[in-house]
Amino acid sequence: MKQSDVLVIGAGVAGLSFAIRLAEKRPDLSITVLTKTHDSESNTSYAQGGVAAVWNSRMDDYQKHIDDTLDAGDGICDASVVEIVVKEGPQRVKEMIEWGARFDKDNTGDYDLGREGGHSENRILHFKDITGWEIQRTLNERANQLSNIEVLEQYFTIDIITQHHLGRNVTRLTPGVECYGAYVFNKQSREIETFLAKVTVLATGGAGQVYKNTTNPVIATGDGISMLYRAKGRVANMEFMQFHPTSLYNPAGENPSFLISEAVRGMGGILKTTDGQEFMQKYDPRQSLAPRDIVARAIDNEMKLHGDDFEFLDCTHIPEHQFINHFPNIYEKCKSIGIDPMKEMIPVVPACHYTCGGIMTDAFGRTSISRLYAAGECTYTGLHGANRLASNSLLEGLVLGERVFQAVLESIDSIPLQTSIPAWDAEGTTEPKEMVMLTQSLKELKEIMSSYVGIVRTDARLKRALDRLHLLYRETELLYNTTIISPQLCELRNLITIGYLITKAAQMRKESRGLHYNTDHPEKFPYQEVTFL
Ligand code: FAD
Ligand code: SIN
């Protein structure tokens, strides 16, 4: 049994920025941070475009960033959360710079601010096209310098611990559910360990791996959202899965799909059909720089109209030095599969990119379970509404990481550690006989979600998806209850829960809004939150 004051599940921008703040302010507290692979494998590390923040007060102001965020969110953002994140954002970015993060500057010495879809001003701070890598590096280095933070790699969290594990019946209506820590699979010893803490923070990232094509790394299996849902916590707005318009079309197939940053369109890249015609003017006056839901749907529509596997992003008119200087990683990747972006158009296709819904929290990351906080992509704070504005996610991780720190600081001294927790019970389970049962179910799940619950939905497709998901659920629960646990089995189980939450929420929303588009309900109705009680 391992005890610490605070348990943080997830070592991306949200989890680590929280842990660092708390460790610096309270050197007397012990903080354990878990990551299920190594400390640099996170969505954070893959971020390309940058962090959105109002930086240049001559050109930009908070209201413009607020308006852009509300506009992208298609009528259902929580305006108070938007205001908090936009106004606190620049200070959090300044602190990242003080911690050692490098962002590119222009030749006058000012920060070079990029533009992305849905933004009315240039406000994206970036480090080349590998901003996330730079942020993760900075956070890892800083956390490693703090002796009261212990980052444990290869520790896969199975479930959070609540009164349910003390033998009580916990339902979604039970008041006063509390979290006491988590059961965690140590991948090296293959043992399940009990981690106890006064306060637990879920910062487990998104769930893009529920689809066949995704820009998310393989760790993005929605573990935190599923754990919370199993523990009877509140999850909201899962129907809003964001598809990025432009992942690189690679006929060889790769997981994750490689992202061609929206910042490329911000620099002038133009979307074209396979016969070289511009098409975005048909869909939105902002053309290639319209918000993501609109652009992804437009590309999807053009692909269906023309029977294409991809459309093109034309960058051949952008000066070579400018492109290579800002996007060296994208340039190299394209070259590695035989495409010279300066001479040929880049084939692109939408791919699942971001989980806009998730664990419901207030503006301090408090979940519906006490002693349990959440921050980052695994949450629904109200910032993104029905569609996230580009580069607002790293920003949310930084701002909410700080606000969870404030809330934990205020409460931790009055919370006792609950130590009478039973060890994990693996009785009656045996070694799995055939891994093919897991790998095949995962393929089926991704197929179902991509075919029936993708960019465009219908009532019939959603019903079919739910019927198929129920079967997968039953088969996987049987495996879970009878075989010895593995991270692969837990991830499959979590992804099936995510698939269910997305599909069920999509079925419940009888309208089209933001990222949720159902041709049987094309109109928009007054807003209703889709939560799971
Ligand atoms: P993550 O960074 O995903 O971290 C999750 C952590 O949780 C990991 O450490 C993981 O190991 C751990 N974890 C998960 N499950 C478990 C478990 N069961 N047990 C133990 N540990 C677990 N956003 C922007 O704002 N700007 C961008 O330019 C941008 N570009 C992007 C490009 C790509 C290709 C992708 C995929 C995303 C991009 N995003 C961008 C989105 C952004 O990167 C993420 O939303 C954000 O980094 C999420 O941070 P996080 O801390 O919530 O989670
Ligand atoms: C990108 O660089 O296009 C990704 C930005 C984001 O997801 O916010």
Side-chain angles (χ1 to χ4, degrees), residues 8-17 33-52 116 124-126 129 131-132 136 152 154-159 183-185 202-206 214-217 219-224 227 242 244 256-262 292 352-355 375-379 384 388-397 490-491 494:
V8 185
I9 306 173
V13 63
L16 270 190
S17 66
V33 181
L34 304 179
T35 161
K36 66 177 172 177
T37 58
H38 59 82
D39 67 359
S40 295
E41 187 62 349
S42 59
N43 280 287
T44 299
S45 287
Y46 284 68
Q48 292 189 354
V51 195
E116 289 176 8
I124 319 290
L125 289 106
H126 64 97
D129 52 358
T131 312
Q136 188 75 57
L152 296 177
Q154 310 294 348
Y155 275 79
F156 182 93
T157 311
I158 302 168
D159 264 322
Y183 291 118
V184 182
F185 183 90
L202 288 171
T204 44
T214 176
T215 62
N216 289 188
I219 58 116
T221 53
D223 300 348
M227 279 184 239
Q242 183 172 71
H244 196 291
S257 302
F258 183 82
L259 182 73
I260 304 293
S261 173
E262 209 155 287
R292 251 172 222 180
C352 180
H353 183 64
Y354 187 84
T355 308
E377 189 170 341
C378 65
T379 63
H384 308 307
R388 175 179 66 100
L389 182 67
S391 286
N392 264 0
S393 172
L394 292 170
L395 187 73
E396 186 187 39
C490 292
E491 286 183 344
N494 290 337

Side-chain angles (χ1 to χ4, degrees), residues 273-285:
T273 54
T274 42
D275 55 4
Q277 304 302 313
E278 288 186 36
F279 59 86
M280 274 310 299
Q281 70 285 355
K282 288 194 285 179
Y283 299 91
D284 193 280

Side-chain angles (χ1 to χ4, degrees), residues 97-145:
I97 294 170
E98 283 158 23
W99 291 356
R102 298 163 294 171
F103 294 111
D104 287 357
K105 293 188 172 171
D106 59 23
N107 46 21
T108 67
D110 290 332
Y111 283 105
D112 176 45
L113 302 174
R115 169 85 68 108
E116 289 176 8
H119 287 275
S120 56
E121 292 295 344
N122 285 33
R123 61 168 77 98
I124 319 290
L125 289 106
H126 64 97
F127 177 71
K128 305 288 174 202
D129 52 358
I130 51 168
T131 312
W133 176 89
E134 174 63 6
I135 287 178
Q136 188 75 57
R137 175 198 69 75
T138 307
L139 294 171
N140 288 350
E141 284 180 13
R142 192 140 186 118
N144 287 337
Q145 287 160 8

Side-chain angles (χ1 to χ4, degrees), residues 141-398:
E141 284 180 13
R142 192 140 186 118
N144 287 337
Q145 287 160 8
L146 292 160
S147 60
N148 56 334
I149 296 185
E150 185 180 23
V151 178
L152 296 177
E153 297 176 303
Q154 310 294 348
Y155 275 79
F156 182 93
T157 311
I158 302 168
D159 264 322
I160 53 168
I161 301 170
T162 65
Q163 289 95 329
H164 164 76
H165 299 96
L166 303 175
R168 290 192 211 135
N169 185 26
V170 174
T171 72
R172 260 169 239 294
L173 300 176
T174 307
V177 181
E178 293 182 333
C179 175
Y180 307 122
Y183 291 118
V184 182
F185 183 90
N186 175 340
K187 287 178 161 180
Q188 264 119 34
S189 69
R190 305 196 66 75
E191 308 253 299
I192 296 170
E193 300 176 14
T194 309
F195 280 69
L196 299 181
K198 296 175 181 170
V199 161
T200 302
V201 179
L202 288 171
T204 44
Q209 284 289 328
V210 76
Y211 288 94
K212 233 170 20 180
N213 294 322
T214 176
T215 62
N216 289 188
V218 292
I219 58 116
T221 53
D223 300 348
I225 300 171
S226 302
M227 279 184 239
L228 176 112
Y229 183 68
R230 277 195 295 275
K232 314 297 182 201
R234 285 188 87 182
V235 169
N237 286 10
M238 287 296 292
E239 64 276 35
F240 300 119
M241 291 298 284
Q242 183 172 71
F243 284 73
H244 196 291
T246 57
S247 79
L248 177 63
Y249 173 74
N250 183 345
E254 55 185 338
N255 184 15
S257 302
F258 183 82
L259 182 73
I260 304 293
S261 173
E262 209 155 287
V264 172
R265 277 174 281 134
M267 193 181 267
I270 297 168
L271 289 163
K272 293 187 174 169
T273 54
T274 42
D275 55 4
Q277 304 302 313
E278 288 186 36
F279 59 86
M280 274 310 299
Q281 70 285 355
K282 288 194 285 179
Y283 299 91
D284 193 280
R286 290 163 288 187
Q287 303 197 19
S288 293
L289 276 176
R292 251 172 222 180
D293 53 338
I294 295 168
V295 182
R297 225 165 17 244
I299 297 178
D300 185 67
N301 195 41
E302 291 295 320
M303 284 167 57
K304 287 190 173 123
L305 279 175
H306 302 283
D308 293 334
D309 289 333
F310 55 83
E311 299 303 329
F312 277 126
L313 181 61
D314 186 359
C315 302
T316 52
H317 53 286
I318 299 175
E320 186 163 345
H321 69 275
Q322 200 180 332
F323 189 92
I324 296 175
N325 187 38
H326 193 141
F327 306 114
N329 190 41
I330 293 173
Y331 179 77
E332 281 310 320
K333 176 69 189 186
C334 290
K335 294 276 274 195
S336 78
I337 63 163
I339 297 159
D340 182 342
M342 302 292 84
K343 299 199 175 80
E344 308 150 77
M345 297 194 282
I346 305 172
V348 290
V349 64
C352 180
H353 183 64
Y354 187 84
T355 308
C356 290
I359 300 168
M360 266 191 102
T361 77
D362 68 7
F364 286 93
R366 296 185 192 99
T367 70
S368 57
I369 295 181
S370 59
R371 297 160 161 241
L372 182 70
Y373 294 78
E377 189 170 341
C378 65
T379 63
Y380 180 78
T381 60
L383 172 68
H384 308 307
N387 175 42
R388 175 179 66 100
L389 182 67
S391 286
N392 264 0
S393 172
L394 292 170
L395 187 73
E396 186 187 39
L398 288 172

